[in-house]
Amino acid sequence: MKSILTPLFAACLAGLGTLSASGQKTSGIAFGSFNQWVVREVKESGVIGGEVRYIYEIGPTDTLRGDQPYHRNSHSPWGTSNVLAKVSGITKCSVTVFPEARGNGRCARLDTRLETVKVMGMINITVLASGSIFLGDVIEPIKDTKNPMAKLNQGVPFTERPKALVMDYKFHTDGSPNRIKATGFSAQHSVPGKDHADAILLLQVRWEDAEGNVYAKRVGTLNEQFGQNTPAWVNGHTMPILYGDITHNPKFRPEMGLMSGDRAYWCRNSKGRMVPIQETGWAAPDEKPTHMILQISSSYGGAYVGTPGNSLWVDNIKLAY
């Protein structure tokens, strides 16, 4: 077995340390203040109106024009749920993450929306898209709605052991008793349970076998849900990271368990192929990770599930030590 730790993006996660009002040391994640964005200017296909759309990415300020796949800037570790899709020869944009003014700077706004593409006799798709930001990148262009997890290269190299994730946030939902699921090629249907936004952080020890399969043990876990409307910003919200086997911890919920099979996140292996990350067990509580997965979303429950109209605003994402 060989480690797949690389130095790529290590500098992005090593911000300058500061002391918070509570006395804890915090370290920012590059571009986690959301004051800089890449703007992609894309013209959609004429058969769906030919409108010029703007896709936003988190990274050094820049403007890109044309319907070309986006390759993440080497200085930014962030990916978003904003995508360029080319389905049946039709160019379509899906935009669920936006920069929004906050004070003298900006924050990130994550929306849950229904995206529709209709062309008589060719295509009729309605997909529910949740706004998400994550450490990693999207494999563009999106060509279909099958196996959405396989289109996200999740996680970046990381070897530290932070105590918590810290961020400012604000959340709005209409409080609907059920969510909807819309995958694009089947009828929408109701999913029981109110929607909420959530933040997921996983620390892993990863390795790769000779065939390119990627495995991991779970070192640290964070999964916090946001279900209550917050008209005002909640600043400096601290979310502790739990280490080791947490199945007997009072805070454990089934969705915090090991991710494998259909629940697995995906990554690009050393051969350049996208493969699932199969978590095989819990690491010792004092083990040093090799990778971090961080994803913040406006809805939960997996791909294509959520409540249209949800909005989550986030700002000043940091790690606390």
Side-chain angles (χ1 to χ4, degrees):
M1 304 271 183
K2 60 181 179 180
S3 168
I4 56 173
L5 175 63
T6 71
L8 188 62
F9 297 113
C12 297
L13 301 174
L16 296 175
T18 59
L19 288 178
S20 69
S22 62
Q24 67 182 354
K25 179 184 176 182
T26 61
S27 180
I29 298 176
F31 300 95
S33 62
F34 304 109
N35 290 325
Q36 295 189 62
W37 294 76
V38 178
V39 180
R40 303 167 62 191
E41 190 177 295
V42 178
K43 185 175 182 179
E44 295 183 329
S45 292
V47 292
I48 58 172
E51 182 180 354
V52 174
R53 297 283 302 276
Y54 298 94
I55 308 177
Y56 303 97
E57 309 291 349
I58 303 163
T61 301
D62 198 1
T63 300
L64 306 176
R65 295 178 175 86
D67 61 349
Q68 302 302 311
Y70 177 71
H71 299 288
R72 179 180 57 180
N73 185 286
S74 61
H75 296 288
S76 173
W78 294 101
T80 77
S81 54
N82 295 340
V83 295
L84 169 68
K86 294 188 177 183
V87 181
S88 300
I90 296 170
T91 297
K92 167 72 176 174
C93 303
S94 175
V95 186
T96 53
V97 175
F98 310 82
E100 191 165 288
R102 184 191 180 200
N104 295 324
R106 292 177 172 179
C107 63
R109 174 174 172 163
L110 287 53
D111 287 350
T112 300
R113 299 179 165 199
L114 286 170
E115 293 281 2
T116 300
V117 182
K118 292 184 179 181
V119 179
M120 187 67 70
M122 291 181 60
I123 192 169
N124 186 350
I125 300 176
T126 297
V127 174
L128 186 133
S130 300
S132 296
I133 58 175
F134 64 97
L135 299 181
D137 55 89
V138 180
I139 311 304
E140 285 191 338
I142 302 299
K143 298 180 180 179
D144 55 54
T145 62
K146 300 175 183 177
N147 198 1
M149 296 297 285
K151 298 172 174 63
L152 306 181
N153 178 30
Q154 289 270 12
V156 293
F158 184 76
T159 59
E160 299 176 9
R161 292 172 51 84
K163 294 180 179 178
L165 180 71
V166 181
M167 71 178 187
D168 304 343
Y169 81 94
K170 185 172 66 169
F171 180 61
H172 170 79
T173 182
D174 66 7
S176 300
N178 297 305
R179 295 160 287 157
I180 65 170
K181 183 171 185 176
T183 63
F185 290 99
S186 59
Q188 297 179 29
H189 64 268
S190 179
V191 177
K194 291 184 178 180
D195 204 4
H196 58 249
D198 67 0
I200 297 170
L201 186 153
L202 306 179
L203 299 176
Q204 300 175 322
V205 175
R206 291 188 194 174
W207 67 92
E208 181 178 323
D209 67 16
E211 286 72 44
N213 300 304
V214 175
Y215 303 94
K217 286 188 176 182
R218 179 80 63 80
V219 177
T221 308
L222 181 161
N223 181 204
E224 183 156 338
Q225 302 170 345
F226 307 92
Q228 300 298 319
N229 286 337
T230 56
W233 280 88
V234 179
N235 294 324
H237 180 65
T238 299
M239 297 168 278
I241 299 169
L242 306 177
Y243 282 87
D245 184 348
I246 61 170
T247 54
H248 299 293
N249 189 300
K251 296 181 179 179
F252 178 78
R253 303 187 310 277
E255 57 265 35
M256 300 167 74
L258 298 176
M259 309 291 277
S260 61
D262 292 341
R263 298 180 66 230
Y265 290 104
W266 286 59
C267 72
R268 186 182 285 107
N269 68 9
S270 65
K271 304 174 188 297
R273 293 189 288 109
M274 290 295 293
V275 295
I277 308 162
Q278 300 290 345
E279 290 192 318
T280 62
W282 301 90
D286 59 351
E287 193 155 354
K288 188 177 181 179
T290 63
H291 287 76
M292 174 168 62
I293 289 173
L294 172 59
Q295 179 170 311
I296 301 170
S297 303
S298 58
S299 288
Y300 88 106
Y304 312 129
V305 177
T307 299
N310 273 18
S311 291
L312 174 69
W313 293 261
V314 295
D315 202 4
N316 298 323
I317 296 179
K318 302 175 182 179
L319 296 169
Y321 293 85

